Amino acid sequence: MQWKVLAGLRFFLAFIVFSYHLKDYVPDYGRDLFCQIGKLNGLAAVLGFLLVSGYSIAHSVSKEASGFYQRRIFRIYPLYLCAVLFSVSPFLFLGETLHLPDKEIYRSALGTVLGHFLFLQGFVIHPLSINLPFWTLSVEVACYLLAPVLVKLDDFKIAGLIVTSALFYVGFPSIYQTFYPQSPLPFYSAFSYTIPFGLFLWAWLVGFLIYRKKHLFQRTLLVGFGAALLLLNNQFIGKVGILTYLFSGIILMGSPYIPLPKFLGNLLNYLGNLSYPLYLFHVPTLVIAYLALGIRNSFSFILISFAVSMLFYHGVDVPFRFAKKKNSTAQNPA
């Protein structure tokens, strides 16, 4: 049941990110209930994702290192590839410039689109202008690539990597101001040259190390360490965002001990499966719904975003998972 609890947490965090962006498309969003959920902070939700991801990947690679990369590719790439193509589709029928209430979105260059197929955003290219949340995917994939190496390191070395990334995260605003004293710090998605990876590696590794630590006190120290970092560098987080991060850490630590009825566990597991396509597809879906369909109310945005997520989950993710399972069974009939 632990993984179903964490699946529910992933969905909750994905919905925070969705609500965080929803306010850009809903007039009078200050009075809208669903838009208020976004105040829990999208970046804090991403940090919660990284915690859960580090924990689950530590379990996966520790339990069965063989075939790890293949499992990850089947899990993330089919939906991701569809999301990249879906994200550029509005420019085909809405024009090269998309006019939204408070901003304009320009079509990204072909090289940027192609670079996304290799998760190069945040490393050598910027994320797609129409789907900025893609910046976090390159951080996660880089962590996946390192996981088989990290699992061989002892806890002391993992802690050293956490501290190195943490120091970079805490000191980054000052570093930026040193070089650009007249410019406010841009949001982290605006950076490349591996900067996002260096800034947020600590959050993923904290989850990775929590998996190894079986004592509640040690796990609590690790989550508290992350919260202290967010206090020291509060850019784009806010006090409520720190609470969101702490909530994610508490649920992660308590997930093995949370009893759930079977039906609720199954529901959370399904919602957890929807969390990834919801994260990938929600921004271009909001753009299309706003510009092409004329939608302006949050409930309709939610319905169409969930419909698109379910469409790609059942139409792409489930068949690929079935094919992978069938192939695995064929190779290991015993």
Side-chain angles (χ1 to χ4, degrees):
M1 195 62 69
Q2 173 187 14
W3 300 106
K4 295 181 178 180
V5 171
L6 294 179
L9 175 60
R10 291 202 316 272
F11 174 78
F12 175 64
L13 295 172
F15 195 80
I16 291 175
V17 176
F18 169 82
S19 300
Y20 184 77
H21 295 121
L22 181 62
K23 68 180 187 300
D24 295 334
Y25 303 88
V26 176
D28 198 22
Y29 64 85
R31 298 183 180 181
D32 188 274
L33 173 62
F34 295 109
C35 291
Q36 300 311 302
I37 297 175
K39 290 184 177 180
L40 294 174
N41 194 267
L43 179 57
V46 167
L47 293 175
F49 270 125
L50 292 175
L51 274 177
V52 176
S53 175
Y55 184 93
S56 62
I57 294 302
H59 170 78
S60 177
V61 74
S62 299
K63 183 179 179 182
E64 189 179 355
S66 177
F68 170 75
Y69 289 135
Q70 183 184 28
R71 295 197 303 272
R72 284 292 90 196
I73 290 173
F74 268 91
R75 178 67 185 91
I76 68 171
Y77 199 75
L79 278 174
Y80 174 75
L81 176 61
C82 291
V84 173
L85 297 175
F86 185 77
S87 295
V88 300
S89 65
F91 297 101
L92 299 177
F93 60 91
L94 293 175
E96 294 194 358
T97 303
L98 307 180
H99 302 277
L100 295 171
D102 298 322
K103 60 182 177 181
E104 293 182 337
I105 300 177
Y106 300 95
R107 181 173 61 87
S108 296
L110 178 61
T112 300
V113 177
L114 295 177
H116 276 70
F117 295 146
L118 298 175
F119 297 99
L120 296 180
Q121 63 272 24
F123 287 90
V124 296
I125 60 172
H126 294 293
L128 291 177
S129 57
I130 194 174
N131 205 339
L132 293 179
F134 275 166
W135 73 273
T136 66
L137 271 296
S138 62
V139 175
E140 286 225 31
V141 168
C143 292
Y144 295 161
L145 292 174
L146 291 174
V149 176
L150 294 171
V151 76
K152 298 176 182 179
L153 301 181
D154 58 36
D155 292 352
F156 182 78
K157 292 177 180 177
I158 296 292
L161 291 173
I162 291 174
V163 171
T164 302
S165 174
L167 290 174
F168 183 47
Y169 175 78
V170 171
F172 186 72
S174 298
I175 296 172
Y176 182 84
Q177 288 301 317
T178 299
F179 288 96
Y180 305 98
Q182 304 302 320
S183 174
L185 180 69
F187 189 70
Y188 299 119
S189 61
F191 294 96
S192 54
Y193 305 110
T194 74
I195 288 175
F197 172 72
L199 287 171
F200 297 104
L201 175 64
W202 66 266
W204 194 89
L205 287 177
V206 164
F208 193 92
L209 196 54
I210 285 176
Y211 177 79
R212 290 185 173 185
K213 300 298 183 182
K214 305 306 178 184
H215 295 292
L216 182 61
F217 178 72
Q218 294 174 315
R219 293 181 164 189
T220 303
L221 283 179
L222 286 167
V223 173
F225 174 78
L229 295 181
L230 301 185
L231 285 171
L232 292 172
N233 177 3
N234 205 18
Q235 297 280 348
F236 312 113
I237 291 287
K239 295 179 180 178
V240 176
I242 297 175
L243 294 178
T244 300
Y245 170 83
L246 284 173
F247 174 79
S248 302
I250 290 170
I251 296 298
L252 177 61
M253 291 187 295
S255 58
Y257 315 105
I258 300 176
L260 292 176
K262 184 177 180 180
F263 79 93
L264 182 56
N266 291 337
L267 174 62
L268 291 181
N269 192 60
Y270 180 74
L271 292 176
N273 287 331
L274 285 184
S275 64
Y276 182 50
L278 178 63
Y279 186 87
L280 289 177
F281 291 94
H282 75 275
V283 173
T285 299
L286 291 173
V287 171
I288 293 172
Y290 185 91
L291 294 177
L293 303 179
I295 292 176
R296 296 294 184 272
N297 69 87
S298 61
F299 188 69
S300 296
F301 279 125
I302 291 172
L303 287 180
I304 192 170
S305 296
F306 273 60
V308 170
S309 300
M310 293 172 68
L311 174 66
F312 280 99
Y313 171 65
H314 290 285
V316 177
D317 195 30
V318 171
F320 268 92
R321 291 195 194 196
F322 178 77
K324 175 182 175 296
K325 184 176 180 180
K326 185 177 180 180
N327 183 57
S328 178
T329 303
Q331 293 178 353
N332 303 283

